[in-house]
Amino acid sequence: MTTTFFAAQHTHKQLRRVMLRVKDGPDRGAQITVARSRVTIGRSAVNDLVLTDTSVSGTHAELVIGESGVQIHDLDSTNGTFVNGVRVRSAWIESSHAVKVGKTEFELLSADEVQVPISGEDHFGAMYGKSSAMREVFATLERVAPTEMSVLIGGETGTGKELVARALHDESNRAQGPFVVLDCGSMPRELAEASILGHKKGSFTGAVTDRAGCFEEANGGTLFLDEIGELPLDLQPKLLRVLDRREVQRIGESQVRKVDVRVVAATHRDLRMMVGQGLFREDLYFRLSVMAVDLPPLRERGEDIVMLADRFLEDFVRLHQGALPRPRLSDQARDALLAETFPGNVRQLKNVIQRAAHLCRAGIIEPSDLHLGRREDPRAVAAQAAASEQQRPAGGGGFDDAMFSAPFKDAKQQMVDGFEREYFGRLLERTDGNLSRAAAEAGITRYYLRELLKRLGMHKVRDDGD
């Protein structure tokens, strides 16, 4: 992939494009031109290439177009993905390869390059980045912000999805209206419906006053539905009804109230795969994803890491109102940051830099101040957690005091990440690192488990369950 600069405000990058055509099967002759980095194939209507082949899973496989070529990944399908007759989980493919899913065989017809606009700016709202990946995102957001389109923001935990939602609001015609956040991942199940619709006093136990739901609170502004993938399946039709009709009826009331709200949703989950698995409504997915924006993980934004670290150091000085000098990164510390994979993405980088700014001596941040740690065998996590538990004072809770000085959402995510590391560390130890056995025991798909382990930096395990 190459980047070509035409002018400060009219910048483009080259993106490879391929044509995908069904060569044999029930949908013979169907084809799509792919000019995006990731597309999916399957029976569900949420896919880019939709097949009628009943032996194909809802979301069967994905194609990823990168600098080195085209990869195909099986998405934990029932009947598998085959390249030249060999069943694969992931493989590089070329035009000469026979690729088969179910009873359908397809081929790559051509490969060329297209120009994709990228922003001439290195920021959008509070989002910063000079990498072409982020500037492509900024270019999309600049076009979308002034519209009334619903936007679905995807990306791993810690990539800055809420910052995108806030920036879309601030750059829209609704900027003077309210910006309301509903975290679907932290709502108590019994209060979820009331949080969306509102309720009348006495309509259920605990309803001691009349209360407006999030749509009423956001009237005239923007509603940000964070972690929409966590919304219970039985509540999704009620959310869809509000989105379609633009009206709400509080629990316990007969009155219908009109609402004027722009909806921005975000998730770290693969909603298209969830649709294929029956875990997320297809019609709700289409309603939310009029425009879909995917944030790249920090490990794919190498040139942004030092830039962001410097900005976090500037924030550190402002937070202390100039009482402390601005620390600077040594060359060795910069190299250490660039070598880190940052499974927690920008949120993790921010925490690393803030901690190092407090710990460094003489205003110079060295690698030891970053506390990035060593790459460890995931199965050692359980033993380490058990040892920590034995050393923990009775009633101590085991919480890091620094956690309580962080914003609630960041502190909560640190706790969730800690739990997931311990849970999966013990699970992998118990299953001897076998990914298929671990997924079956955890009650989740192997693909989802693999993605979780990647995010946690624990993905170097045996994946030999077939």
Coordinates of all heavy atoms in Angstrom, one line a residue, residues 223-254:
L223 N -27.8 10.6 20.9 CA -27.8 9.5 21.9 C -26.7 8.5 21.5 O -26.7 8.0 20.4 CB -29.1 8.8 21.9 CG -29.2 7.5 22.8 CD1 -28.9 7.8 24.2 CD2 -30.6 6.8 22.6
F224 N -25.8 8.3 22.4 CA -24.7 7.3 22.2 C -25.0 6.0 22.9 O -25.0 6.0 24.1 CB -23.4 7.9 22.7 CG -22.2 7.0 22.5 CD1 -22.0 6.3 21.3 CD2 -21.3 6.8 23.6 CE1 -20.9 5.4 21.2 CE2 -20.2 6.0 23.4 CZ -20.0 5.3 22.3
L225 N -25.2 5.0 22.1 CA -25.5 3.7 22.7 C -24.2 2.9 22.7 O -23.8 2.3 21.7 CB -26.5 2.9 21.8 CG -27.9 3.6 21.7 CD1 -28.8 2.9 20.7 CD2 -28.6 3.7 23.1
D226 N -23.5 2.9 23.8 CA -22.2 2.3 23.9 C -22.4 0.8 24.2 O -23.3 0.4 24.9 CB -21.4 2.9 25.1 CG -19.9 2.6 25.0 OD1 -19.5 2.1 24.0 OD2 -19.2 2.9 26.0
E227 N -21.5 0.0 23.6 CA -21.5 -1.5 23.7 C -22.9 -2.0 23.4 O -23.5 -2.8 24.1 CB -21.0 -1.9 25.1 CG -19.6 -1.6 25.4 CD -18.6 -2.2 24.4 OE1 -19.0 -3.2 23.6 OE2 -17.5 -1.8 24.3
I228 N -23.4 -1.7 22.2 CA -24.8 -2.1 21.8 C -24.8 -3.6 21.7 O -25.9 -4.2 21.8 CB -25.1 -1.4 20.5 CG1 -26.6 -1.6 20.1 CG2 -24.2 -1.8 19.4 CD1 -27.6 -1.0 21.1
G229 N -23.7 -4.2 21.4 CA -23.7 -5.7 21.3 C -24.1 -6.4 22.6 O -24.4 -7.6 22.6
E230 N -24.1 -5.7 23.7 CA -24.5 -6.3 25.0 C -26.0 -6.2 25.3 O -26.4 -6.7 26.3 CB -23.7 -5.7 26.2 CG -22.2 -5.5 25.9 CD -21.5 -6.8 25.6 OE1 -21.9 -7.8 26.3 OE2 -20.7 -6.9 24.7
L231 N -26.7 -5.5 24.4 CA -28.1 -5.3 24.7 C -28.9 -6.7 24.6 O -28.7 -7.4 23.6 CB -28.7 -4.3 23.7 CG -30.2 -3.9 23.9 CD1 -30.3 -3.0 25.2 CD2 -30.7 -3.1 22.8
P232 N -29.6 -7.1 25.6 CA -30.3 -8.4 25.6 C -31.2 -8.5 24.3 O -31.8 -7.5 23.9 CB -31.2 -8.4 26.8 CG -30.4 -7.4 27.8 CD -29.8 -6.4 26.9
L233 N -31.3 -9.7 23.8 CA -32.0 -9.9 22.5 C -33.4 -9.6 22.6 O -34.0 -9.0 21.7 CB -31.8 -11.4 22.2 CG -32.3 -11.8 20.8 CD1 -31.5 -11.1 19.7 CD2 -32.1 -13.3 20.6
D234 N -34.1 -9.8 23.8 CA -35.5 -9.5 23.9 C -35.8 -8.0 24.0 O -37.0 -7.6 23.8 CB -36.1 -10.3 25.1 CG -35.4 -9.8 26.4 OD1 -34.3 -9.5 26.4 OD2 -36.1 -9.9 27.5
L235 N -34.8 -7.2 24.2 CA -35.0 -5.8 24.3 C -34.7 -5.1 22.9 O -35.1 -3.9 22.7 CB -34.1 -5.1 25.3 CG -34.5 -5.3 26.8 CD1 -33.6 -4.6 27.7 CD2 -35.9 -4.9 27.1
Q236 N -34.1 -5.8 22.0 CA -33.7 -5.2 20.8 C -34.9 -4.8 19.9 O -34.9 -3.8 19.3 CB -32.8 -6.2 20.0 CG -31.5 -6.4 20.7 CD -30.6 -7.4 20.0 OE1 -30.8 -7.7 18.8 NE2 -29.6 -7.9 20.7
P237 N -36.1 -5.6 19.9 CA -37.2 -5.1 19.2 C -37.8 -3.8 19.7 O -38.3 -3.0 18.9 CB -38.2 -6.3 19.3 CG -37.4 -7.5 19.7 CD -36.3 -6.9 20.5
K238 N -37.7 -3.6 21.0 CA -38.2 -2.4 21.6 C -37.4 -1.2 21.2 O -37.9 -0.1 20.9 CB -38.3 -2.5 23.1 CG -39.3 -3.6 23.5 CD -39.4 -3.7 25.0 CE -40.4 -4.8 25.3 NZ -40.6 -5.0 26.8
L239 N -36.1 -1.4 21.1 CA -35.2 -0.3 20.7 C -35.4 0.0 19.2 O -35.5 1.1 18.8 CB -33.7 -0.7 20.9 CG -32.7 0.2 20.3 CD1 -32.8 1.6 20.9 CD2 -31.2 -0.3 20.5
L240 N -35.6 -1.1 18.4 CA -35.9 -0.9 17.0 C -37.1 -0.1 16.7 O -37.2 0.7 15.9 CB -35.9 -2.3 16.3 CG -36.2 -2.3 14.8 CD1 -35.1 -1.6 14.0 CD2 -36.4 -3.7 14.3
R241 N -38.2 -0.4 17.5 CA -39.5 0.3 17.4 C -39.3 1.8 17.6 O -39.8 2.6 16.9 CB -40.5 -0.3 18.4 CG -41.9 0.2 18.1 CD -42.9 -0.5 19.1 NE -42.8 -2.0 18.9 CZ -42.4 -2.8 19.8 NH1 -42.0 -2.4 21.0 NH2 -42.4 -4.1 19.5
V242 N -38.5 2.1 18.6 CA -38.3 3.6 18.9 C -37.5 4.2 17.8 O -37.8 5.3 17.3 CB -37.5 3.7 20.2 CG1 -37.2 5.2 20.5 CG2 -38.3 3.2 21.4
L243 N -36.5 3.5 17.2 CA -35.7 4.1 16.1 C -36.5 4.3 14.9 O -36.4 5.3 14.2 CB -34.5 3.1 15.8 CG -33.5 3.0 16.9 CD1 -32.5 1.9 16.5 CD2 -32.7 4.3 17.1
D244 N -37.5 3.3 14.6 CA -38.3 3.4 13.4 C -39.4 4.5 13.6 O -39.6 5.3 12.6 CB -38.9 2.1 13.1 CG -38.0 1.1 12.5 OD1 -36.9 1.5 12.0 OD2 -38.2 -0.1 12.6
R245 N -40.0 4.5 14.7 CA -41.2 5.4 14.9 C -40.8 6.8 15.4 O -41.6 7.7 15.4 CB -42.2 4.8 15.8 CG -42.8 3.5 15.3 CD -43.8 2.9 16.2 NE -44.3 1.6 15.7 CZ -45.2 0.9 16.4 NH1 -45.6 1.3 17.6 NH2 -45.6 -0.2 15.9
R246 N -39.6 6.9 16.0 CA -39.2 8.1 16.7 C -40.1 8.6 17.7 O -40.5 9.8 17.8 CB -38.9 9.2 15.6 CG -37.8 8.9 14.7 CD -36.5 8.9 15.3 NE -35.4 8.3 14.5 CZ -34.1 8.4 14.8 NH1 -33.7 8.9 15.9 NH2 -33.2 7.8 14.0
E247 N -40.6 7.6 18.5 CA -41.5 7.9 19.6 C -41.3 6.9 20.7 O -40.9 5.8 20.4 CB -42.9 7.9 19.2 CG -43.4 6.6 18.6 CD -44.8 6.7 18.0 OE1 -45.2 7.8 17.6 OE2 -45.5 5.7 18.0
V248 N -41.5 7.3 22.0 CA -41.4 6.4 23.1 C -42.7 6.4 23.9 O -43.4 7.4 24.0 CB -40.2 6.8 24.0 CG1 -38.9 6.6 23.3 CG2 -40.3 8.2 24.5
Q249 N -42.9 5.3 24.6 CA -44.0 5.2 25.5 C -43.4 4.7 26.9 O -42.9 3.6 26.9 CB -45.0 4.2 25.0 CG -46.3 4.1 25.9 CD -47.3 3.2 25.3 OE1 -47.3 2.9 24.1 NE2 -48.2 2.7 26.1
R250 N -43.4 5.5 27.9 CA -42.8 5.2 29.1 C -43.5 4.0 29.7 O -44.7 3.8 29.5 CB -42.9 6.3 30.1 CG -42.0 7.5 29.8 CD -42.1 8.6 30.9 NE -41.4 9.8 30.6 CZ -41.3 10.8 31.3 NH1 -41.9 10.8 32.6 NH2 -40.6 11.9 31.0
I251 N -42.8 3.1 30.5 CA -43.4 2.0 31.1 C -44.5 2.5 32.1 O -44.2 3.4 32.9 CB -42.3 1.2 31.9 CG1 -41.3 0.6 30.9 CG2 -43.0 0.0 32.7 CD1 -40.1 0.0 31.6
G252 N -45.7 1.9 32.0 CA -46.7 2.3 32.9 C -47.6 3.5 32.4 O -48.5 3.9 33.1
E253 N -47.3 4.0 31.2 CA -48.0 5.1 30.6 C -48.6 4.7 29.3 O -48.2 3.8 28.6 CB -47.1 6.3 30.4 CG -46.8 7.2 31.6 CD -46.1 8.5 31.2 OE1 -45.8 8.6 30.0 OE2 -45.9 9.3 32.1
S254 N -49.7 5.4 28.9 CA -50.3 5.2 27.6 C -49.9 6.3 26.7 O -50.1 6.2 25.4 CB -51.8 5.1 27.7 OG -52.3 6.3 28.3

